Amino acid sequence: MTEKKLLLTGNEAAVLGAIAAGAKIMFGYPITPATEILQGWIGKADKSDELQYLQTEDEIAAGFGVLGAVLAGEIAFTASAGPGHVLLQDPLSMAENLRLPFVGIMMQRGGPSTGTVNFSQQEVNLAAFGGNGDGIRLVYSASSVLEMYTLTQEAFQMAWRYRFPTILLGDGYLGKMKTVVELPADRADVKAEPILKEVSESTNIRNCYSSEADLAEVLQKNLADWNHARKSLVLSESYELDGAETVIVAHGLVASAAKDAVSILRKSGVKIGLFRPITLHPFDTEVLKKAVAKAKKVMIFESSLNQLARIVKYELADQKVNYEEVSKPAEGFTAAEIIKAVKGK
Amino acid sequence: MENIAPISWKKSSKPHLFCPGCGHGIVLKQLGYAFDEMKIARDVTFGIDIGCSLLAWNFFDADTIQTHHGRTTSVMVGYKMAKPERIALAYMGDGGGYAIGLQALLHAAYRNNPVTVILVNNENYAMTGGQSSPTTPVGMVTSTSPNGKRAEFGKGLHGPELISEIAAPNAYIARVSISNPIQLKITLKKAIENQVKNKVFSFVEVLSICPTNWKTNAKESFEILREAEKLYPIKEFTKEKEVEK
């Protein structure tokens, strides 16, 4: 069942996804290529009595503003990229330890730092492991404009259900490309409640502990919850994996090109398939393990040096796999390039 | 203690963990009396910074969130947007408010966000062992100014003066000292009332003492405090602004 057909950019789809999920406040700082999310939200908020926004002095204030709002029980978020994503590691770390449902939409740009303004997949490490903790964050990677809508909703839903900080990764091409999408009518059911509870027994929360043992107790509980939730959180797409001798692993927009490549190669009889992780963290290891069990080769395509490859190799550490990594840091892939790489030319 | 302790104090967290002679105890006692007299402890959400102020994370029987270095203002601004009916207090030291968190503090004042910031100025980074801070006076010996703070590193940042330059006319801005607890309490109440009634920004700097890092006894601590009161004048900045107009 579809709601309506709209001509949307990825950034516009993210705004609609946030509204559909029941988000009420956005905190943000302008940064290419995520700026249109802030602008789009403000455009909606100025016509609404329900939606609020704050254009902050920097991303640190935006991130901690989100934390203040979620402590009050409001569904809130920010959107950023590159250097802003770096500054957001401080609030993300607090959210990680205090289990606050922080949601950030990160439209990756080329790095390090200000690098280029349009595209990369170089913020995977930052999103999943960027804080000074052990990386208990939920990270999604969108590969289409439609997913910028659906996964934004998924991000809010899971952040509030499991209380892990949650990041949706996109990139500048995805944010700015415009396409016709049919938005599904199904909406995320996000249940938000105050974390500072305002009841007679006061809620006192700290993120600084008196001893290693005190902190360890908190961390062990958080890790146990994370491991318990993994199965419910992982998402992936399997495409033409039946009988695939070559398994491509790619995420985001690169996976979109890889899917085209697989489709073309299959028509010419090449036994090839695509595994696309939708959650990069946690990772849908079980599905990938099945896919690679009979494969001769696993090819990892990514627009970063080996940020996806490290995750894949760690998750498949107990498998005997013949890897080929095709990395193009901060540059995109066409289907033709992927076909060429598969054919070894 | 039972007879004089503010009702809003969380009894299970007392005796508190601040060093003997620390000024925070005086500030938090007067703040507790302010909560009691205004009957607002249940309506307050108390945000506290890291540094010595973090030891107040369970000080009051009020909802409390302890956050990261200099980030308390931002957290409380976000909180207040979501809960405009609550009283949002941000509690921090001179390192958190005037160094690492100054940007957030200035912009909250500039936007006139309806939060009340209480900054306890003991002229050093105390939790980390007494390093020079933006408010350390020239000549003071700290672990990062072992021969006395040099004038080239700044003569002492005047926070309320700076903030009042950019704050809205109806923002309440004041500096007080722990040497006058009654005035301290009255000032804290005014700052909170301004948030409640006028829904605007308030800021109180409280000059305080740090006997542990200063390595001073009670008399010597208050001698340093007297000098601080000369460098950093005790006054309300809002009123002056109104008189000017």
Side-chain angles (χ1 to χ4, degrees), chain A residues 27 52-53 57-58 60-61 64-65 68 71-72 74 90 94 196-198 200 202-208, chain B residues 10 42 45 57 60-68 71 74-75 78-79 81 83 86 103-104 107 111:
Chain A
F27 298 83
Q52 297 188 74
Y53 62 89
E57 58 276 17
D58 55 29
I60 299 172
F64 281 98
L71 282 159
E74 198 74 282
D90 192 11
M94 176 167 152
L196 292 170
K197 296 186 193 309
E198 305 163 43
S200 59
S202 65
T203 313
N204 303 100
I205 301 174
R206 61 172 165 167
N207 192 21
C208 191
Chain B
K10 194 170 195 167
R42 292 270 168 256
T45 296
W57 76 276
F60 293 103
D61 199 8
D63 280 359
T64 305
I65 175 71
Q66 177 260 314
T67 176
H68 295 181
R71 313 306 175 213
S74 303
V75 169
Y79 182 86
M81 282 177 73
K83 288 274 178 187
R86 300 278 296 174
Q103 181 146 308
H107 281 270
R111 292 185 298 251

Side-chain angles (χ1 to χ4, degrees), chain B residues 158 160-161 174-176 207 228-235 237:
Chain B
H158 285 57
E161 288 84 349
R175 183 188 288 116
V176 285
L207 294 178
E229 288 170 6
K230 287 179 202 162
L231 177 61
Y232 301 112
I234 305 301
K235 60 192 249 188
F237 292 81

Side-chain angles (χ1 to χ4, degrees), chain A:
Chain A
M1 187 184 162
T2 56
E3 190 179 61
K4 49 191 165 183
K5 274 189 186 179
L6 291 171
L7 182 63
L8 292 176
T9 65
N11 284 339
E12 288 166 345
V15 172
L16 294 180
I19 291 169
K24 292 289 185 285
I25 312 180
M26 178 178 182
F27 298 83
Y29 183 88
I31 183 161
T32 310
T35 308
E36 292 86 354
I37 300 177
L38 179 62
Q39 290 173 179
W41 178 270
I42 292 173
K44 300 283 184 191
D46 275 346
K47 294 178 201 147
S48 161
D49 294 332
E50 281 201 332
L51 308 182
Q52 297 188 74
Y53 62 89
L54 187 64
Q55 183 180 329
T56 54
E57 58 276 17
D58 55 29
E59 289 86 349
I60 299 172
F64 281 98
V66 170
L67 298 186
V70 301
L71 282 159
E74 198 74 282
I75 304 171
F77 75 109
T78 189
S80 192
H85 190 183
V86 171
L87 293 181
L88 284 163
Q89 294 306 316
D90 192 11
L92 268 161
S93 296
M94 176 167 152
E96 201 174 308
N97 213 33
L98 297 183
R99 303 287 296 273
L100 303 177
F102 172 101
V103 172
I105 301 167
M106 307 298 173
M107 306 306 281
Q108 300 169 94
R109 54 188 274 168
S113 192
T114 41
T116 59
V117 295
N118 279 328
F119 176 81
S120 88
Q121 294 187 320
Q122 293 171 297
E123 296 177 39
V124 172
N125 285 346
L126 199 54
F129 310 110
N132 60 329
D134 291 310
I136 307 184
R137 294 113 170 261
L138 182 50
V139 181
Y140 294 91
S141 175
S143 77
S144 67
V145 172
L146 176 63
E147 276 192 348
M148 287 302 298
Y149 177 78
T150 56
L151 290 181
T152 295
Q153 292 188 64
E154 181 88 5
F156 282 105
Q157 182 155 326
M158 294 306 163
W160 279 93
R161 184 177 294 171
Y162 293 98
R163 299 284 170 88
F164 299 122
T166 302
I167 290 171
L168 171 60
L169 286 177
D171 60 67
Y173 290 160
L174 191 53
K176 290 163 190 286
M177 69 166 62
K178 202 160 193 166
T179 183
V180 176
V181 283
E182 295 186 21
L183 301 183
D186 299 341
R187 299 265 172 107
D189 180 20
V190 185
K191 289 188 174 61
E193 57 179 12
I195 295 163
L196 292 170
K197 296 186 193 309
E198 305 163 43
V199 294
S200 59
E201 182 80 6
S202 65
T203 313
N204 303 100
I205 301 174
R206 61 172 165 167
N207 192 21
C208 191
Y209 299 85
S210 314
S211 71
E212 286 86 343
D214 284 354
L215 174 59
E217 195 182 319
V218 175
L219 295 176
Q220 290 308 325
K221 187 194 175 297
N222 289 346
L223 285 167
D225 289 351
W226 173 256
N227 288 326
H228 186 71
R230 278 183 82 104
K231 272 188 184 165
S232 313
L233 292 169
V234 290
L235 288 176
S236 66
E237 181 190 0
S238 297
Y239 181 69
E240 299 280 14
L241 283 174
D242 285 346
E245 291 176 356
T246 300
V247 173
I248 292 179
V249 183
H251 73 100
L253 219 45
V254 178
S256 185
K259 198 171 180 177
D260 287 347
V262 167
S263 169
I264 293 162
L265 287 163
R266 275 280 178 180
K267 277 175 196 155
S268 61
V270 182
K271 290 176 180 172
I272 189 166
L274 167 70
F275 172 81
R276 175 171 74 92
I278 297 172
T279 52
L280 296 175
H281 200 242
F283 197 84
D284 199 354
T285 312
E286 295 312 311
V287 171
L288 182 56
K289 271 186 185 175
K290 277 179 202 154
V292 304
K294 289 176 184 168
K296 289 178 181 163
K297 188 158 77 171
V298 171
M299 296 185 78
I300 304 169
F301 288 87
E302 61 181 309
S303 297
S304 52
L305 181 56
N306 54 13
Q307 300 193 21
L308 174 64
R310 282 192 205 179
I311 296 175
V312 172
K313 286 178 166 180
Y314 178 80
E315 297 294 328
L316 297 183
D318 59 354
Q319 308 289 304
K320 208 178 166 192
V321 180
N322 175 25
Y323 288 109
E324 186 175 334
E325 288 177 46
V326 188
S327 293
K328 283 175 70 185
E331 285 186 281
F333 286 90
T334 61
E337 280 176 280
I338 293 170
I339 290 168
K340 214 171 156 184
V342 169
K343 289 183 172 170
K345 288 174 192 168

Side-chain angles (χ1 to χ4, degrees), chain B residues 3 17 29 52 72 79 127 140 147 165 169-170 175 177 190 203 215 233:
Chain B
N3 296 331
L17 298 173
K29 180 177 273 185
C52 291
T72 315
Y79 182 86
M127 182 59 97
M140 185 180 266
N147 298 309
E165 281 296 316
N170 60 0
R175 183 188 288 116
S177 168
K190 278 187 184 174
F203 179 77
K215 303 176 179 65

